[in-house]
Amino acid sequence: MRRFLIAGNWKMNTNSESAKSLASDVAAGAGNHTEKVCVLLCPPFPYLALAKEAVNGTDVKIGAQDVYFESPGAFTGEVSVDMLSDVGCFATIIGHSERRHVLGEDDVTINKKVKAALAGGLGAVLCVGELLEERDAGNTETVLDTQMAGGLVDITSEQMEKIVIAYEPVWAIGTGKVATPDQAESVHAHLRNWLESRYNSDVAESTRILYGGSVKANNARTLLEQQNVDGALVGGASLKADSFVPIIEAAADLSTS
Ligand code: 13P
């Protein structure tokens, strides 16, 4: 049985004060829901350590939004896997749509990052998603298959235990245009089939596939109710405990374990 994972991607938001209070408010609001639901908060790099401190003693985990694939050395501006582990990160997001489309990251780079994260003991939330024009042209599945294959080159079925897939249609990110539950379910089922053919049925059954893109308290439940939706990667609504905690509550409510 896959446990729901509700992850907050704070993107380039918050400051030291708001990051600290947001992390502790979410931890307080998540309370004993973390017995049923995994909660991951992904603040900007400068606030990882203080967010970690704010959730200490709770089951809320801290993750990064990106990582560099090289070992520590002369890579100005970059942050290594070791550094993320050192400040208490459990995982990192990799291949987010904004990194692909604003910062120009390709599947080769994304795959290097996935490999480096796993080699250093960090979990990876690998993001995939199609542009609106790709969906309109009927190419959603081809685009996703390419991103999955590219991001997971050389990743073994054992390593898949540390990987979560996040399906984030680019047209739904920050636009308020959430995918319908049917649209999300159809893509998630496709991704699970892809995992079965690339790996095996165990990997397909155990890998969590999150949905991301305009998830809010008022639409989370119908998305999370879908058989193949195992959680949410939340942007805007993760920036306030009042809008994020109800998403955790919806997942807890739907959990059978
Ligand atoms: P929004 O929830 O703001 O649409 O962002 C989604 C996202 O990109 C999460 O990684």
Side-chain angles (χ1 to χ4, degrees):
M1 185 65 202
R2 299 181 296 269
R3 260 174 109 205
F4 280 121
L5 167 61
I6 305 298
N9 175 7
W10 297 0
K11 308 194 180 183
M12 200 170 73
N13 293 295
T14 67
N15 57 30
S16 51
E17 205 180 306
S18 61
K20 208 189 295 183
S21 56
L22 178 54
S24 57
D25 290 352
V26 169
N32 56 14
H33 294 313
T34 51
E35 284 167 16
K36 295 182 186 161
V37 179
C38 301
V39 177
L40 178 71
L41 302 181
C42 302
F45 290 134
Y47 308 133
L48 286 170
L50 60 83
K52 176 68 185 162
E53 205 180 308
V55 303
N56 258 347
T58 77
D59 286 331
V60 172
K61 297 196 161 45
I62 300 297
Q65 299 172 17
D66 186 32
V67 69
Y68 196 51
F69 51 81
E70 291 285 359
S71 300
F75 302 100
T76 302
E78 296 296 337
V79 172
S80 73
V81 172
D82 292 358
M83 292 169 188
L84 296 183
S85 300
D86 187 38
V87 294
C89 283
F90 173 79
T92 180
I93 296 171
I94 297 177
H96 189 274
S97 146
E98 286 138 25
R99 298 220 54 91
R100 291 177 187 266
H101 300 294
V102 183
L103 285 308
E105 249 178 50
D106 62 11
D107 286 323
V108 172
T109 304
I110 289 165
N111 178 241
K112 286 184 186 169
K113 292 183 173 187
V114 171
K115 285 197 241 185
L118 299 188
L122 273 188
V125 179
L126 172 64
C127 301
V128 295
E130 82 287 3
L131 298 164
L132 185 58
E133 55 264 38
E134 292 167 337
R135 172 165 282 263
D136 288 346
N139 292 334
T140 299
E141 293 184 355
T142 319
V143 168
L144 296 177
D145 291 356
T146 303
Q147 293 176 347
M148 291 285 282
L152 295 173
V153 170
D154 292 338
I155 300 299
T156 65
S157 46
E158 289 72 32
Q159 287 177 307
M160 285 302 292
E161 283 173 23
K162 299 273 282 180
I163 294 196
V164 169
I165 305 298
Y167 168 56
E168 299 206 311
V170 182
W171 46 271
I173 296 177
T175 59
K177 280 191 214 148
V178 63
T180 65
D182 283 352
Q183 281 174 324
E185 173 59 17
S186 137
V187 169
H188 284 228
H190 173 79
L191 292 172
R192 206 171 298 289
N193 285 337
W194 186 93
L195 288 170
E196 175 152 13
S197 26
R198 164 73 167 80
Y199 293 100
N200 53 52
S201 55
D202 284 351
V203 169
E205 273 311 303
S206 57
T207 303
R208 278 184 289 208
I209 306 176
L210 313 184
Y211 169 79
S214 297
V215 176
K216 310 280 175 219
N218 65 5
N219 60 28
R221 193 182 171 96
T222 50
L223 289 158
L224 295 172
E225 271 171 353
Q226 304 306 307
Q227 195 187 339
N228 287 294
V229 177
D230 306 314
L233 181 53
V234 185
S238 73
L239 293 173
K240 293 228 155 54
D242 285 355
S243 46
F244 190 58
V245 170
I247 300 173
I248 299 170
E249 289 169 345
D253 200 43
L254 290 168
S255 296
T256 47
S257 60

